[in-house]
Amino acid sequence: MSITDIDDTAREEFIEGFHGSVIRPDADEYDDARAVWNGMIDRQPGLIARCAGVADVVSAVTFGRENDLLVSVRGGGHNVAGSAVCDDGLVIDLSEMTSVRVDPDARTAWVEAGATWADVDHETQAFGLAAPGGVVSDTGVAGLTLGGGIGHLRRKYGLSCDALRSVELVTAAGEFVTASEDQHAELFWGIRGGGGNFGVVTAFEFDLFPVGPDVAMCLVFYSADEFESTMGSYREYCASAPDKVSSLTFSGVMPDEELFSDDALDEQKIGVLGCYAGPPAEGAAALEPLRTLAEPVADFSGVLPYVELQQLLDEDYPDGMRYYWKSLYLDGLSDSVLDRLAYWVDAAPSPLSTVDVWHLGGAISDVDDDENAFAGRHAPYLLGVEANWEAPETDDENVAWARDCLDDMRQFSDGSVYLNFPGFLEEGDDMMQTTFGPTYERLVALKDEYDPTNLFRMNQNVAPSS
């Protein structure tokens, strides 16, 4: 049903009983409220319900369900697929719910679902603690965590979803529940990696770990002229890297005048970014081999505050630029893989695009496959294909490049993907079934229990059996 088809009295009663703000299409703030990070997304919601607390979330879920509306849920609004907003439906907007409370003695943090990782880091680092987040501080806690959460601390402390102790959420029936190992345990299993399929999470409780305030990091750039050789050296490093080191490579032109001299500015480069989750004095030695994979073009490695490391890439991904990101878990980095990666780096139509390789393993693979729903623990590497560009007239060629790259690289993968880099979710159920494999039917059973009508379908969707 469209918002305009709803009885005027019912709509006005919902708006009048709402403690946050309900933004209509004729409101001055409407265009700002419907905008998300990815500039390719231009959707026109019928109403945006900006929640002040859990009671508002319950009210919005009930209103959406009873009126058969298309519903989307917005946390940080940073998902590349733009699933935080919908056309002609109801956006349940949590962006004002950003409270973070830290218990330094218990080493836990309670985080509302509208918070970003910058909000979390600000509070936890006051006590020398951190939750495993992502690599861009503007990213919303909710979306990243529900899809897994791969970041700078992954090989030492695991994924964001692995650090969860509990979540609070509102189900499709409008019921508020707490899910943990002791309460609604099956729901807690599915929430961790199964996305926003089972309810609107309003708060997360994380375990925290000793990190910072300073960390040793590596940020070094090499010429891509010897791509296979340099990446081969990276592969050798990863084979015996300590779990305290989490690293990735990103390859493309990256024409940043503040980082590179004129002769290197427009050349293809390989960037290597690593973090050591331990004492900085130890980290310098552990990261040193990443600084000598070849002759560096530029090297910005050193010791810096953890919060600055978390913000290091923020300016590279500004709001409103155009993004299309895809992913695959790779079986390894064979010479054949490196040869094809070199081809796709060279083929990128935008100098802002990169082909990324994330080293996984460590604490990620230490978690049993059935401990939570996250799929991908088996893989030693993740391939991320980031199409990043500015001109709308080049949309088609940039999207095609990323898709063609993924089609080619599937020969080196089981086809499963990291669901936080899903393109525009265009593969639908096929992508979900391939990624989760035998686990998928368990997720369907959970969906049948908590959202049998698929109210929450603007996401990496697990469809109910009906």
Side-chain angles (χ1 to χ4, degrees):
M1 182 184 293
S2 167
I3 291 284
T4 57
D5 295 330
I6 297 173
D7 177 77
D8 289 346
T9 301
R11 184 171 60 250
E12 293 309 311
E13 285 180 353
F14 165 66
I15 293 172
E16 290 175 8
F18 205 77
H19 280 213
S21 56
V22 179
I23 303 170
R24 307 175 194 244
D26 59 356
D28 291 341
E29 65 267 37
Y30 176 74
D31 283 337
D32 286 340
R34 70 183 180 87
V36 290
W37 165 72
N38 188 349
M40 289 194 76
I41 308 303
D42 183 21
R43 297 189 181 131
Q44 306 276 338
L47 286 176
I48 300 171
R50 188 164 283 170
C51 302
V54 171
D56 278 349
V57 176
V58 172
S59 176
V61 168
T62 302
F63 180 70
R65 183 190 68 251
E66 290 182 346
N67 292 284
D68 195 25
L69 295 174
L70 179 62
V71 170
S72 65
V73 182
R74 177 178 185 142
H78 212 270
N79 186 292
V80 70
S83 54
V85 287
C86 57
D87 280 321
D88 200 33
L90 173 67
V91 175
I92 301 176
D93 187 338
L94 311 178
S95 62
E96 297 296 310
M97 298 172 59
T98 61
S99 177
V100 178
R101 297 201 307 266
V102 176
D103 183 336
D105 295 326
R107 289 188 176 179
T108 61
W110 182 88
V111 181
E112 284 192 302
T116 66
W117 285 104
D119 296 323
V120 174
D121 295 337
H122 177 73
E123 296 296 333
T124 60
Q125 278 294 284
F127 305 98
L129 300 169
V135 297
V136 175
S137 75
D138 295 333
T139 305
V141 170
L144 187 86
T145 302
L146 296 175
I150 295 175
H152 285 307
L153 305 177
R154 62 191 179 274
R155 284 176 40 82
K156 175 60 177 175
Y157 296 122
L159 308 170
S160 302
C161 70
D162 297 335
L164 280 178
R165 294 173 67 101
S166 68
V167 298
E168 297 173 355
L169 77 160
V170 177
T171 69
E175 179 186 5
F176 177 75
V177 301
T178 298
S180 67
E181 295 287 1
D182 301 320
Q183 306 176 71
H184 298 279
E186 184 69 2
L187 177 60
F188 188 54
W189 168 84
I191 282 288
R192 292 173 292 166
N197 277 285
F198 314 112
V200 181
V201 176
T202 57
F204 301 83
E205 183 187 17
F206 289 100
D207 280 320
L208 302 178
F209 303 95
V211 176
D214 294 329
V215 292
M217 55 79 69
C218 163
L219 178 60
V220 60
F221 294 88
Y222 301 100
S223 169
D225 288 346
E226 301 295 330
F227 183 89
E228 290 93 333
S229 173
T230 303
M231 289 297 294
S233 297
Y234 177 71
R235 175 182 60 200
E236 292 176 13
Y237 172 83
C238 290
S240 58
D243 289 353
K244 290 181 181 179
V245 174
S246 296
S247 66
L248 70 149
T249 70
F250 46 102
S251 302
V253 175
M254 300 171 281
D256 191 324
E257 295 179 351
E258 295 183 2
L259 298 182
F260 306 114
S261 59
D262 290 345
D263 59 334
L265 188 63
D266 295 321
E267 299 299 317
Q268 291 175 356
K269 296 172 279 289
I270 302 169
V272 181
L273 176 61
C275 171
Y276 186 81
E282 293 179 5
L287 294 168
E288 179 64 24
L290 291 175
R291 303 174 62 191
T292 56
L293 301 177
E295 183 66 29
V297 171
D299 189 347
F300 304 97
S301 306
V303 174
L304 80 171
Y306 176 72
V307 291
E308 291 186 17
L309 174 64
Q310 288 285 83
Q311 297 167 2
L312 194 64
L313 301 179
D314 289 4
E315 292 185 3
D316 296 328
Y317 301 105
D319 287 356
M321 202 162 80
R322 306 178 85 77
Y323 302 100
Y324 181 82
W325 295 359
K326 301 286 280 184
S327 62
L328 277 175
Y329 291 111
L330 295 177
D331 300 331
L333 291 182
S334 67
D335 290 346
S336 297
V337 169
L338 299 183
D339 176 70
R340 296 312 299 159
L341 291 180
Y343 171 84
W344 290 109
V345 171
D346 188 59
S350 168
L352 303 177
S353 295
T354 61
V355 175
D356 307 343
V357 174
W358 300 66
H359 185 207
L360 304 180
I364 299 173
S365 55
D366 289 342
V367 176
D368 291 340
D369 286 342
D370 61 354
E371 187 167 322
N372 57 48
F374 179 79
R377 299 189 187 281
H378 61 290
Y381 298 97
L382 172 69
L383 169 65
V385 183
E386 294 189 7
N388 311 312
W389 71 101
E390 295 175 324
E393 61 269 22
T394 65
D395 284 357
D396 289 347
E397 62 180 307
N398 282 283
V399 170
W401 168 75
R403 289 176 175 169
D404 290 346
C405 175
L406 262 288
D407 287 344
D408 181 26
M409 298 305 294
R410 283 192 181 93
Q411 63 184 302
F412 308 112
S413 169
D414 64 2
S416 60
V417 307
Y418 177 45
L419 293 174
N420 284 335
F421 300 163
F424 292 151
L425 302 168
E426 59 268 36
E427 294 91 350
D429 197 56
D430 288 343
M431 178 183 71
M432 300 297 285
Q433 291 199 40
T434 298
T435 295
F436 286 107
T439 301
Y440 186 73
E441 292 306 316
R442 186 175 173 185
L443 290 168
V444 171
L446 200 57
K447 185 75 169 181
D448 287 345
E449 180 179 357
Y450 286 97
D451 186 19
T453 65
N454 210 11
L455 179 67
F456 304 121
R457 59 187 180 274
M458 288 291 294
N459 50 35
Q460 304 95 320
N461 193 236
V462 174
S465 58
S466 59

